Amino acid sequence: MQQRKIIRFLTSLIVAFLIIPNCYGQYSICGHIETTQKNKTVYLSLLKYDEETLITESQILFSTQTDSTGYFEFKGQLLSKKDKLYRIHSNIDDIKGLQLVSNSDKNNYYNFIFSNSDTIYFSKSGNRWFSHSQNSNNTDRLWRNLKQFEEKLTQGYSEIKNKEAQQQTINDFVEKVKAYNAKNISPPLIKLLAFSDIKRKNFDLKTDFEKNPDFYNDILNSLKSYYSETSYYLQFQDEISKISNTVFQQKYSFHKTLNYILGILVLILAVISFLLFKKVRAIQPKEIQQEISNLTLTNQEEKIAKLILENKSNKEIADELFISLSTVKTHIRNLYAKLNVTNRYELADKFKNHT
């Protein structure tokens, strides 16, 4: 009985090694590429979220050589425990530097999401190297689903020549990708890669951020929670900060210009008001003088008006003109009526600019 258990255990191990040949270790990246060249160099690179189609030497983590059968492997414990974006690639030609090739005939690279506890195996796939893979990372599977969804959205896009129609297609792509992420995606790295796909479409991120910042803030918060202080979070934070600052500066510039224009208008109105006030002040005495000149005052009324302006009392006026007090009051009432005033002060105000 004990021997049977041992045999079953050994059989399970053998089957595991047959499914993923020679792949072992805490992380394992291995497989085959079909090439007649021995000792072909295969590179493993760590990518930033916006480097899916970019290749530089600074991305490379490790390199290894294929054996006579085209087999290669990377194994160890040095990768990140968190999901990251990696690339496996090998130059098709014997050239200096690095190359990325992807067309219907040839393919020499593959981007994938991976962590330190995952395994991935690449089987032989003709000239399209790394095209067939078995990845244990579940986040990578969700990313493939997003890629398939995006490919369906962009089918026939290259055939559209009208710029307005192209822009409408881009806008439609962005809205549907954002809706797909909100409904189906939780891993922050996939949200970040969706943002990168949107950015590559030459989409107006600034205007979209200004109208709908929730999509971008959700990515930022997810990254901060899972990738705090890593390059993914810091790079995206810097990018969003630049967009946000641009929006703020434009708003500030607009309000500054508006305040400047309003200030000029207020100044112009103040100058106009001052000039009008001076003109009214200049015209008013002339109008009053004309009004008084047009009046027909008797000789006695003019004398009484002059004495009133000299602050003479009714009695003093009566004594000076040798008339009765009642006669003075009658003349004053007539004078008030002609000048449309009700008291000595109004009369004095009307006569102050009149000779």
Side-chain angles (χ1 to χ4, degrees), residues 42 48 62 114 140 154 181 228 254 256 268 276 293 306 316 344 352:
V42 179
K48 296 180 180 179
F62 313 111
F114 202 68
D140 183 80
T154 55
N181 272 263
S228 179
F254 170 76
K256 185 178 179 181
I268 292 173
L276 288 175
S293 299
K306 181 180 179 182
E316 290 173 334
R344 289 169 172 256
K352 66 182 178 180

Side-chain angles (χ1 to χ4, degrees), residues 52-71:
E52 288 184 54
T53 58
L54 175 68
I55 185 167
T56 63
E57 291 186 0
S58 61
Q59 298 168 338
I60 296 174
L61 294 176
F62 313 111
S63 65
T64 188
Q65 306 292 321
T66 60
D67 62 16
S68 59
T69 66
Y71 176 77

Side-chain angles (χ1 to χ4, degrees), residues 304 313-319 322-333 344:
I304 291 173
S313 66
N314 290 351
K315 188 176 183 309
E316 290 173 334
I317 294 173
D319 293 342
F322 303 105
I323 58 178
S324 67
L325 184 60
S326 61
T327 302
V328 171
K329 291 181 179 180
T330 300
H331 284 307
I332 290 176
R333 281 196 300 271
R344 289 169 172 256

Side-chain angles (χ1 to χ4, degrees), residues 28 112 245 291:
S28 182
F112 58 100
N245 288 337
E291 180 184 349

Side-chain angles (χ1 to χ4, degrees), residues 57-318:
E57 291 186 0
S58 61
Q59 298 168 338
I60 296 174
L61 294 176
F62 313 111
S63 65
T64 188
Q65 306 292 321
T66 60
D67 62 16
S68 59
T69 66
Y71 176 77
F72 66 90
E73 68 176 353
F74 298 94
K75 58 183 179 180
Q77 303 176 354
L78 299 178
L79 299 186
S80 171
K81 294 181 181 180
K82 299 180 182 293
D83 291 335
K84 294 291 184 71
L85 182 63
Y86 294 91
R87 173 187 294 136
I88 191 84
H89 101 277
S90 180
N91 287 354
I92 291 178
D93 304 315
D94 294 330
I95 63 170
K96 292 183 179 180
L98 306 172
Q99 63 174 186
L100 292 183
V101 178
S102 180
N103 53 52
S104 58
D105 298 323
K106 295 179 180 181
N107 189 88
N108 74 333
Y109 75 96
Y110 184 80
N111 299 334
F112 58 100
I113 297 176
F114 202 68
S115 73
N116 196 56
S117 60
D118 291 319
T119 60
I120 186 170
Y121 171 70
F122 297 92
S123 59
K124 291 183 179 181
S125 52
N127 290 332
R128 296 186 59 78
W129 300 343
F130 316 114
S131 297
H132 300 155
S133 65
Q134 301 171 25
N135 191 347
S136 64
N137 188 286
N138 186 58
T139 303
D140 183 80
R141 180 182 60 81
L142 295 175
W143 185 39
R144 301 297 156 195
N145 293 340
L146 172 64
K147 286 294 187 184
Q148 291 177 2
F149 177 78
E150 291 178 346
E151 287 176 3
K152 290 181 181 179
L153 292 178
T154 55
Q155 285 179 353
Y157 169 75
S158 59
E159 299 176 2
I160 301 176
K161 304 302 180 183
N162 182 272
K163 290 185 178 181
E164 185 176 347
Q166 286 180 347
Q167 188 59 53
Q168 182 58 46
T169 302
I170 291 174
N171 295 340
D172 182 67
F173 171 87
V174 171
E175 292 305 316
K176 288 182 177 178
V177 168
K178 288 164 67 174
Y180 180 92
N181 272 263
K183 182 179 180 181
N184 302 291
I185 302 301
S186 58
L189 179 54
I190 304 182
K191 294 182 180 181
L192 187 59
L193 292 172
F195 165 78
S196 180
D197 293 336
I198 290 173
K199 187 171 69 170
R200 280 199 298 272
K201 293 296 182 182
N202 197 27
F203 182 66
D204 188 354
L205 293 173
K206 179 182 68 62
T207 300
D208 189 59
F209 176 83
E210 186 176 5
K211 293 180 178 178
N212 179 28
D214 293 343
F215 171 72
Y216 306 92
N217 291 331
D218 176 60
I219 297 175
L220 187 64
N221 293 332
S222 298
L223 291 172
K224 185 176 181 180
S225 176
Y226 187 75
Y227 290 106
S228 179
E229 303 307 319
T230 66
S231 61
Y232 288 155
Y233 170 68
L234 296 176
Q235 182 184 352
F236 182 75
Q237 182 188 44
D238 180 65
E239 188 160 4
I240 292 302
S241 295
K242 289 179 180 178
I243 296 175
S244 178
N245 288 337
T246 301
V247 172
F248 174 78
Q249 287 174 2
Q250 287 185 344
K251 288 184 177 180
Y252 173 77
S253 178
F254 170 76
H255 289 297
K256 185 178 179 181
T257 302
L258 181 62
N259 290 336
Y260 179 74
I261 294 173
L262 290 175
I264 293 176
L265 290 176
V266 170
L267 180 62
I268 292 173
L269 289 174
V271 172
I272 293 174
S273 299
F274 176 74
L275 294 176
L276 288 175
F277 178 75
K278 287 187 66 177
K279 187 175 182 180
V280 169
R281 287 288 299 273
I283 292 174
Q284 190 175 27
K286 293 179 181 179
E287 290 177 344
I288 294 173
Q289 291 176 26
Q290 186 66 35
E291 180 184 349
I292 296 173
S293 299
N294 291 337
L295 294 174
T296 303
L297 300 181
T298 65
N299 185 46
Q300 195 75 326
E301 287 172 346
E302 287 185 0
K303 291 179 181 180
I304 291 173
K306 181 180 179 182
L307 293 172
I308 290 174
L309 294 176
E310 294 176 358
N311 293 323
K312 300 286 187 177
S313 66
N314 290 351
K315 188 176 183 309
E316 290 173 334
I317 294 173

Side-chain angles (χ1 to χ4, degrees), residues 334-347:
N334 294 335
L335 187 61
Y336 283 1
K338 289 181 178 181
L339 296 177
N340 193 27
V341 297
T342 59
N343 53 55
R344 289 169 172 256
Y345 300 108
E346 291 181 5
L347 183 141

